[in-house]
Amino acid sequence: MGEFKVHRVRFFDYVPSGVCCMAYSEETERLAVARNDGSVEVYNFPANYYQETVIPGDDRRTTQSICWAPGGRLFSAGLNGEIIEYDLTKLCVKYSLDAFGGPIWGIAASPSGTQLAVCCEDGSVKLFNISPEKIVFEKSLNRQKDRILCLAWHPSGSQIVTGSVNVIRVFSVSSGHLLHRLKVDRRTSAVRNRECVVWSVAVLSCGEVISVDSTGKLQFWELDNGTLLRTYNVTTCDILSLAVNQSEDSLLVGTAEGLVLQFQRLATQTGKPEQQWVRTKPFRYHTHDVRAVAHSSTALISGGVDGYVVSRPLMEKVQTKSYEAALRKITFPHRHLVSCAQASRLLLFQFPGHLELWRLGQTNESGIDGDLLNVSKEQELLLQLKRKGSECIRCSTISRCGSWVSYATSSRLFLHRLHYDQDNIRISRVPKVPQLQTLQLLFSPDSKRLYVGSEGGRVHVLELSEGACQHSHTLERPSGTRHGSSHPVHLLAASSDGSLLAVASANAQIDIYDVKKLKYECSVPQYNCTPAAIRIHPSTNNLVIAYPDQQILEFSIAQKQYTDWSRKVLQRGLHRDWVERDTPITGITFNPTRAEHILLHDNYMFCVLDKSLPLPDDKTPLVNQNSLKQLSESARRSHAHAFKITKRFQPLLFMDLLDDGELVLVERPLRDILAQLPPPMKQKKFGT
């Protein structure tokens, strides 16, 4: 497998921001997730739940509700009183519009997709027309005296149902008048007269209204007459979220104690048409409040204060009982928040509001596999660089020599020069940096250039000198090239000799540029999903690509075609256990002493892929390192295969090799994250 001195870095104090709302689009099969820091993420479910889009947050923006509109348009609203539409091509806010109703608690698109409704703090429900360019205010429904916390459209689009404190209201969309006022029972088994907050509502096509509230009740109401049909006492704490599937035979609720429950409409007796709602499946995958739930045609999705996004496939909707039925618990981002200065042994950690620069520890000892070496010099925090303004940091990078640091927000690009004097460090901001829309950043291996990935698949080249930088060129595909990219830059990778640059766009297009001649070189055949990681081999200049569906390919830039090894992979296929992993490869690097070795990692596995060995078939154990150690040398060679996997290091957020051959692995144990979350709701245990 190869021996390395391994730095197990556990001082990256990363804590995922809590999930406040989510929305699933059956049209695009995308899940939009909004977090407490104002960021918005989009997950591509057909591409193995890959996090293909991240729009960074802003301290001035708080998201309370999010929804999809036809055509893949994404809207959100929050307590700052603004409605926001996102540009999923440029990965930024397209525009914002003040609803003039105070804080907005809920937003929903009409079933026809032509209108948008928001409910406000001042008791109003406002309607907006959805035009191709932007939304336009249409009218307000009859204003009420108290705040409106949630709303839902009738499937016909003729009525809107809202939830408030102690009351549910039904409005006519055409006239704007209040049709019904349904009083919610405030009594519970514990407290008699506390207020009952209706947290979420839904409307079925049969004319029933579903509500969940702070007393732990799930209730069904008759819409036309406003009468209560059924009540389910689900829990003693708040039910915070509700979602109904498209066929209206299953619903999902999330509670403040971390419990997710499914209700299904089932026949009361076999062979008879009568049906009733039955509580069928409870799930406890969260430790804290479940603030958001969504229901796709095949899965139950939830998210909450603990930051997890959990997808639980419905077994009765799944054809096969293996890969598609796997529980997905997404904890960490599918992108790097860490960059490494390999020559100077530095790590740069990215947080939403600041950057941290650390120097790795050192040891003078050596040992055998599994030995723990004593550190002669501890790791050291050299610098904490706070962002400018209210926008969260989108991306960051450090040069190989450690002399340059760059980061970008949604609207600004920053470049800093670092000066080292023994144990002292001095930082100076580079003035007059060209203000380019920045999605990805990468320094050239010689630290003389900064590559800025932008919209439309373009890469801007900035020439660096002592304390200054200048825009010199823009790399983009020739206008006559087939499949010209209009999508944003997703990943960047430079060759170690500084001659080549690989640019991956969000539409799965990968272009290669000769950066010495500043011209377009070639393109990789387009795959069916966005690449998750790319890297250029230092000796062969072959491009290695990892995709979210766990496919690994190698492209020869010199020959402008896939390598023979890659064709063998496509012909034979990879091991079933490898393909069925549920987290994408996020890091690739190479062993400089062994050209045939490719080092890969996801959140829960580190792998050395040896191209000189045969690919395993499905009958061979994929993880067989422990069993191979017990065999003789000859037997070990006959049973060895290309994949050498260890799960000793996890969860893994980053991996790279230093210039001296030491391996850096950045881990973030889940117990450390849970220790920094607020305490969960106290639950009485049996016998206490």
Side-chain angles (χ1 to χ4, degrees):
M1 184 170 182
E3 291 187 359
F4 304 96
K5 279 187 177 180
V6 179
H7 293 265
R8 298 188 68 175
V9 176
R10 293 192 171 190
F11 45 84
F12 180 29
D13 200 18
Y14 168 77
V15 178
S17 182
V19 175
C20 55
C21 54
M22 61 173 57
Y24 181 77
S25 170
E26 292 285 357
E27 176 189 358
T28 61
E29 295 185 278
R30 287 342 189 242
L31 175 72
V33 175
R35 297 187 179 269
N36 293 333
D37 61 1
S39 63
V40 173
E41 304 164 356
V42 178
Y43 294 85
N44 186 345
F45 274 34
N48 202 11
Y49 296 73
Y50 182 61
Q51 186 189 71
E52 64 179 11
T53 299
V54 178
I55 300 175
D58 192 315
D59 289 347
R60 300 168 298 181
R61 188 169 70 235
T62 57
T63 306
Q64 194 68 26
S65 184
I66 195 167
C67 73
W68 291 95
R73 299 174 68 176
L74 184 62
F75 296 89
S76 75
L79 301 183
N80 60 351
E82 293 182 340
I83 303 171
I84 293 173
E85 181 175 4
Y86 297 95
D87 191 325
L88 299 181
T89 301
K90 298 181 179 179
L91 306 186
C92 63
V93 173
K94 186 176 182 180
Y95 63 86
S96 61
L97 184 69
D98 197 325
F100 294 102
I104 301 175
W105 291 94
I107 185 171
S110 64
S112 63
T114 59
Q115 291 176 302
L116 203 64
V118 296
C119 55
C120 305
E121 177 78 13
D122 67 352
S124 64
V125 175
K126 299 179 184 292
L127 300 183
F128 295 81
N129 281 323
I130 302 177
S131 64
E133 294 299 323
K134 61 186 302 185
I135 59 174
V136 180
F137 176 74
E138 180 183 352
K139 65 179 180 180
S140 292
L141 307 186
N142 282 3
R143 183 174 170 181
Q144 305 302 305
K145 292 182 179 180
D146 54 346
R147 70 175 65 160
I148 299 179
L149 297 173
C150 56
L151 82 165
W153 288 81
H154 190 283
S156 66
S158 60
Q159 296 170 322
I160 290 179
V161 177
T162 66
S164 301
V165 178
N166 300 327
V167 66
I168 298 171
R169 298 182 177 92
V170 182
F171 293 88
S172 168
V173 174
S174 57
S175 66
H177 296 327
L178 178 66
L179 300 179
H180 297 293
R181 191 171 183 271
L182 316 178
K183 288 189 176 181
V184 181
D185 187 4
R186 295 189 291 175
R187 292 175 297 173
T188 65
S189 58
V191 182
R192 288 279 177 171
N193 295 316
R194 74 172 183 178
E195 290 184 335
C196 178
V197 181
V198 179
W199 287 118
S200 186
V201 292
V203 189
L204 304 181
S205 54
C206 64
E208 292 186 7
V209 176
I210 309 173
S211 68
V212 294
D213 55 48
S214 60
T215 63
K217 294 194 296 288
L218 169 68
Q219 295 184 313
F220 291 80
W221 308 77
E222 204 273 322
L223 182 62
D224 293 333
N225 300 319
T227 55
L228 179 63
L229 300 176
R230 292 176 299 279
T231 297
Y232 297 88
N233 292 309
V234 177
T235 179
T236 58
C237 61
D238 294 48
I239 302 179
L240 301 171
S241 48
L242 166 69
V244 182
N245 68 344
Q246 205 168 29
S247 57
E248 298 183 352
D249 58 1
S250 174
L251 66 87
L252 190 65
V253 298
T255 71
E257 60 185 354
L259 191 64
V260 178
L261 300 107
Q262 183 191 10
F263 286 76
Q264 291 178 281
R265 191 161 59 183
L266 304 174
T268 54
Q269 293 184 12
T270 305
K272 292 190 177 182
E274 292 83 5
Q275 292 183 325
Q276 68 178 8
W277 289 94
V278 178
R279 171 175 159 173
T280 55
K281 298 172 184 174
F283 307 108
R284 190 180 292 277
Y285 300 127
H286 298 272
T287 58
H288 292 65
D289 300 12
V290 180
R291 294 289 179 88
V293 292
H295 203 318
S296 74
S297 58
T298 59
L300 311 175
I301 311 158
S302 59
V305 174
D306 54 15
Y308 300 151
V309 176
V310 179
S311 175
R312 174 66 166 82
L314 297 170
M315 298 299 293
E316 63 270 18
K317 301 286 186 180
V318 176
Q319 299 276 333
T320 59
K321 302 301 180 184
S322 58
Y323 178 44
E324 293 179 346
L327 172 73
R328 304 300 173 94
K329 192 171 186 179
I330 303 171
T331 308
F332 302 100
H334 296 163
R335 59 195 175 101
H336 278 164
L337 300 177
V338 182
S339 53
C340 180
Q342 296 90 344
S344 52
R345 305 171 61 86
L346 301 176
L347 290 179
L348 183 70
F349 297 151
Q350 176 185 319
F351 297 89
H354 69 278
L355 303 174
E356 288 183 0
L357 183 64
W358 288 78
R359 178 181 285 127
L360 290 169
Q362 294 181 344
T363 181
N364 299 323
E365 300 180 1
S366 60
I368 62 174
D369 183 25
D371 285 353
L372 297 178
L373 306 181
N374 294 317
V375 176
S376 58
K377 186 176 181 180
E378 294 284 344
Q379 72 273 7
E380 181 183 3
L381 176 61
L382 300 178
L383 177 70
Q384 186 178 94
L385 180 62
K386 295 184 178 180
R387 68 168 191 238
K388 301 293 182 183
S390 61
E391 296 177 334
C392 293
I393 297 174
R394 181 197 293 275
C395 56
S396 61
T397 187
I398 185 170
S399 64
R400 189 179 191 87
C401 64
S403 297
W404 298 91
V405 168
S406 180
Y407 74 93
T409 63
S410 295
S411 62
R412 299 185 68 184
L413 172 64
F414 298 89
L415 180 63
H416 295 268
R417 176 73 166 165
L418 300 178
H419 305 272
Y420 301 93
D421 182 14
Q422 295 181 355
D423 292 335
N424 297 322
I425 182 171
R426 181 169 55 88
I427 184 170
S428 59
R429 180 178 167 185
V430 177
K432 299 180 181 179
V433 176
Q435 291 308 307
L436 309 165
Q437 189 197 24
T438 305
L439 304 177
Q440 291 290 329
L441 289 169
L442 180 69
F443 285 102
S444 62
D446 60 4
S447 304
K448 294 181 179 180
R449 285 178 172 176
L450 175 63
Y451 301 118
V452 180
S454 188
E455 59 179 320
R458 291 185 290 273
V459 177
H460 304 285
V461 181
L462 302 184
E463 299 288 345
L464 306 179
S465 59
E466 186 66 33
C469 74
Q470 184 177 2
H471 184 278
S472 65
H473 192 76
T474 298
L475 301 172
E476 56 184 328
R477 303 190 74 193
S479 57
T481 308
R482 190 184 176 195
H483 301 307
S485 176
S486 61
H487 291 74
V489 172
H490 178 63
L491 294 170
L492 294 173
S495 61
S496 58
D497 60 5
S499 63
L500 298 171
L501 180 69
V503 181
S505 300
N507 64 338
Q509 183 69 43
I510 303 177
D511 300 322
I512 312 297
Y513 295 93
D514 186 329
V515 291
K516 288 187 176 179
K517 298 179 181 179
L518 296 176
K519 69 172 188 177
Y520 167 78
E521 187 72 18
C522 63
S523 293
V524 179
Q526 194 163 1
Y527 199 66
N528 58 9
C529 58
T530 305
I534 59 174
R535 196 76 178 254
I536 298 177
H537 197 286
S539 58
T540 64
N541 274 351
N542 290 341
L543 177 66
V544 177
I545 313 161
Y547 289 98
D549 63 356
Q550 313 305 349
Q551 186 65 270
I552 302 172
L553 298 176
E554 185 183 39
F555 181 80
S556 173
I557 299 175
Q559 299 178 6
K560 298 181 174 58
Q561 63 181 6
Y562 286 125
T563 62
D564 293 339
W565 180 84
S566 194
R567 295 179 188 278
K568 187 189 301 182
V569 170
L570 291 171
Q571 182 180 3
R572 292 193 53 184
L574 296 173
H575 196 282
R576 181 187 65 248
D577 292 344
W578 176 271
V579 175
E580 291 183 358
R581 290 167 29 256
D582 60 359
T583 53
I585 295 293
T586 54
I588 303 174
T589 191
F590 306 96
N591 187 347
T593 62
R594 298 187 181 181
E596 68 277 8
H597 284 190
I598 303 173
L599 278 60
L600 311 163
H601 86 91
D602 63 14
N603 290 146
Y604 302 102
M605 175 251 351
F606 172 72
C607 173
V608 176
L609 177 57
D610 190 343
K611 295 191 301 177
S612 65
L613 294 177
L615 294 171
D617 55 29
D618 289 346
K619 297 179 181 179
T620 305
L622 181 65
V623 183
N624 62 351
Q625 297 306 302
N626 291 331
S627 59
L628 288 180
K629 290 180 180 179
Q630 302 173 5
L631 301 178
S632 63
E633 185 67 25
S634 59
R636 191 181 307 170
R637 290 177 181 175
S638 62
H639 288 82
H641 58 70
F643 291 91
K644 300 174 177 62
I645 296 173
T646 178
K647 298 185 178 181
R648 181 188 305 177
F649 315 104
Q650 56 176 288
L652 264 178
L653 300 186
F654 179 78
M655 168 206 67
D656 208 347
L657 274 174
L658 302 179
D659 285 356
D660 57 9
E662 296 177 356
L663 182 66
V664 178
L665 299 176
V666 178
E667 301 174 273
R668 185 57 174 156
L670 294 177
R671 63 178 181 271
D672 294 346
I673 295 178
L674 294 175
Q676 297 193 37
L677 294 177
M681 171 175 287
K682 186 176 181 180
Q683 301 177 41
K684 183 175 176 59
K685 304 288 185 180
F686 176 76
T688 61

